[in-house]
């Protein structure tokens, strides 16, 4: 049966594993440079959401893509967070130290028949699309055409992919919360979930991205796998992150289901744009945060999140400002009173 839009937010059969009252959130920066105004918005949002739920807030350094990491950026980011009064409730974790967990997850997926080796280079994939008459839109990633899904035919595997196309979940998605919503329809491959800010979302993963990479040809772990394994391992109940990552969510929910781990709730925050109208990012040259007066930087982040300005901005201390925003966040995002 296809579950259409408007279905009840949870299936009777869905196991809910959320322990009532427990909340674990996280901020997961990539150490490719210092925090900028956009990444502070994501950091502040995840911290406020955890505090508004009387929960725990963890920091995870997402450094699986080692060639892109800048030495010392991790330490600098942790200092920036501390300067802003955003202190994690446990020591930070580094993804680069967790390869054995990712390998175990890949082994499980391979054993289940949910992952397969792929011999294709980027050019092979482009050629396969060209042969089928698909034009490539500028900057658009091409969905994987499925060349190696049913065997390498004598070629040598370079990467590992998740078999979205043939994936048939054995049970409904296990949600951290009964009042949450995510469903996958095998009939049409449509994954639907409800984002706490964006509302109802959906994606046909097989059509939109195809069988996606779990381990890259260069041996590095793909972001999707590392995030899912870490969120499960750290017991994350709520993912609060920038809206640019929203379209990763369906892939991550499918991986959670394949690995038999619970699906957290998701809230994607507004992006901060620079003067050129593009999203602020390290790639397009966002300036490092000016933290001589951290309350001012925090206040700009709070405004980007739709929170009210605090009075006496230049005289208020960080904990008092944060406390005002926690109260405002609770009103906006339905935390406990
Ligand atoms: Zn291939």
């Amino acid at each position: 049966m296809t579950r259409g839009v408007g279905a009840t937010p949870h299936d009777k059969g869905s196991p809910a594993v959320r322990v009532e009252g427990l909340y674990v959130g996280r901020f997961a920066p990539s150490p490719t440079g210092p925090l900028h105004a956009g990444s502070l918005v994501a950091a502040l949002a995840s911290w406020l959401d955890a505090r508004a739920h009387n929960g725990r807030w963890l920091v995870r350094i997402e450094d699986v893509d080692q060639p892109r990491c800048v030495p010392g950026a991790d330490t600098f980011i942790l200092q920036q967070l501390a300067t802003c009064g955003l202190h994690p409730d446990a020591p930070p974790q580094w993804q680069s130290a967790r390869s054995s967990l990712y390998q175990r997850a890949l082994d499980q997926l391979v054993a289940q028949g949910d992952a397969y080796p792929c011999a294709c280079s980027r050019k092979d994939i482009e050629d396969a699309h060209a042969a089928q008459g698909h034009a490539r839109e500028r900057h658009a990633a091409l969905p994987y055409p499925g060349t190696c899904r049913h065997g390498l035919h004598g070629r040598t595997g370079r990467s590992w992919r998740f078999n979205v196309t043939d994936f048939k979940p054995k049970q409904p998605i296990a949600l951290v919360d009964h009042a949450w919503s995510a469903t996958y329809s095998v009939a049409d491959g449509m994954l639907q979930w409800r984002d706490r800010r964006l509302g109802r979302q959906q994606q046909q993963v097989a059509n939109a991205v195809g069988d996606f990479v779990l381990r890259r040809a260069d041996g590095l772990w793909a972001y999707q796998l590392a995030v899912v394994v870490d969120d499960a391992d750290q017991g994350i109940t709520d993912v609060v992150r920038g809206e640019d990552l929203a379209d990763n969510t369906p892939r991550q929910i499918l991986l959670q289901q394949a690995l038999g781990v619970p699906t957290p709730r998701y809230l994607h925050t507004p992006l901060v744009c620079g003067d050129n109208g593009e999203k602020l990012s390290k790639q397009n040259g966002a300036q490092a945060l000016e933290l001589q007066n951290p309350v001012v930087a925090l206040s700009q982040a709070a405004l980007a999140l739709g929170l009210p300005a605090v009075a006496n901005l230049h005289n208020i201390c960080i904990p008092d400002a944060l406390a005002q925003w926690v109260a405002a966040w609770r009103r906006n995002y339905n935390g406990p009173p």
Side-chain angles (χ1 to χ4, degrees):
M1 189 186 81
T2 304
R3 293 182 198 95
V5 171
T8 51
H10 56 88
D11 293 38
K12 280 221 172 77
S14 302
V17 293
R18 182 180 172 92
V19 177
E20 204 51 52
L22 177 76
Y23 176 112
V24 186
R26 77 337 186 253
F27 174 58
S30 301
T32 52
L35 292 183
H36 53 75
S39 39
L40 183 63
V41 169
L44 178 63
S46 63
W47 186 90
L48 289 173
D49 200 49
R51 291 294 172 261
H53 288 85
N54 303 313
R56 301 177 72 225
W57 186 69
L58 309 179
V59 172
R60 183 168 78 222
I61 303 292
E62 298 209 324
D63 59 347
V64 275
D65 194 351
Q66 280 287 329
R68 287 183 57 234
C69 295
V70 173
D74 49 358
T75 313
F76 194 75
I77 288 171
L78 295 172
Q79 283 170 357
Q80 289 180 299
L81 292 172
T83 303
C84 291
L86 308 179
H87 303 287
D89 295 314
Q93 295 210 355
W94 275 257
Q95 286 189 324
S96 53
R98 299 163 64 79
S99 287
S100 58
L101 285 171
Y102 310 143
Q103 183 65 55
R104 202 182 310 158
L106 177 60
D107 291 346
Q108 179 186 340
L109 294 172
V110 172
Q112 291 171 186
D114 291 325
Y116 62 84
C118 169
C120 301
S121 64
R122 190 164 301 185
K123 181 159 187 317
D124 293 334
I125 294 172
E126 286 176 5
D127 290 349
H129 278 277
Q132 292 170 37
H134 300 161
R136 180 183 180 163
E137 285 177 45
R138 212 164 151 256
H139 297 312
L142 291 167
Y144 178 65
T147 317
C148 307
R149 188 179 304 131
H150 300 297
L152 290 170
H153 307 293
R155 300 188 301 160
T156 304
R158 296 153 38 91
S159 59
W160 287 88
R161 291 183 180 272
F162 182 69
N163 188 347
V164 179
T165 311
D166 297 332
F167 180 56
K168 295 215 173 26
K170 290 172 197 69
Q171 63 265 319
I173 293 170
L175 304 165
V176 296
D177 184 342
H178 269 312
W180 206 234
S181 168
T183 58
Y184 182 65
S185 159
V186 175
D188 61 359
M190 183 69 79
L191 191 128
Q192 299 190 349
W193 82 103
R194 196 192 307 277
D195 184 274
R196 290 174 52 202
R197 176 175 151 265
L198 301 172
R200 192 179 297 279
Q201 306 285 304
Q202 61 179 27
Q203 186 182 73
Q204 272 179 316
V205 184
N207 293 355
V209 291
D211 297 348
F212 56 88
V213 171
L214 300 169
R215 186 168 200 172
R216 298 171 11 176
D218 57 10
L220 296 176
W221 294 104
Y223 166 74
Q224 311 294 350
L225 182 70
V227 165
V228 165
V229 168
D230 288 340
D231 283 340
D233 185 62
Q234 295 180 290
I236 301 299
T237 62
D238 287 78
V239 173
V240 178
R241 62 187 179 190
E243 195 175 325
D244 53 327
L245 292 168
D247 70 353
N248 290 262
T249 309
R251 273 170 277 178
Q252 293 171 14
I253 292 175
L254 286 184
L255 274 182
Q256 287 152 3
Q257 202 178 14
L259 290 167
V261 300
T263 287
R265 305 192 300 169
Y266 289 91
L267 189 165
H268 289 89
T269 59
L271 298 182
V272 180
C273 292
D275 295 336
N276 58 4
E278 284 194 27
K279 178 213 155 195
L280 273 191
S281 72
K282 290 156 199 164
Q283 286 84 349
N284 60 33
Q287 299 290 307
L289 277 175
E290 175 55 66
L291 286 179
Q292 270 177 333
N293 189 343
V295 174
V296 172
L298 283 166
S299 179
Q300 284 165 355
L303 287 176
L305 291 166
L307 300 173
V310 289
N312 294 322
L313 185 59
H314 293 278
N315 292 313
I316 195 166
C317 66
I318 293 176
D320 287 353
L322 288 173
Q324 290 190 29
W325 290 318
V326 168
W329 184 273
R330 208 169 258 158
R331 288 191 294 276
N332 287 3
Y333 291 102
N334 299 325

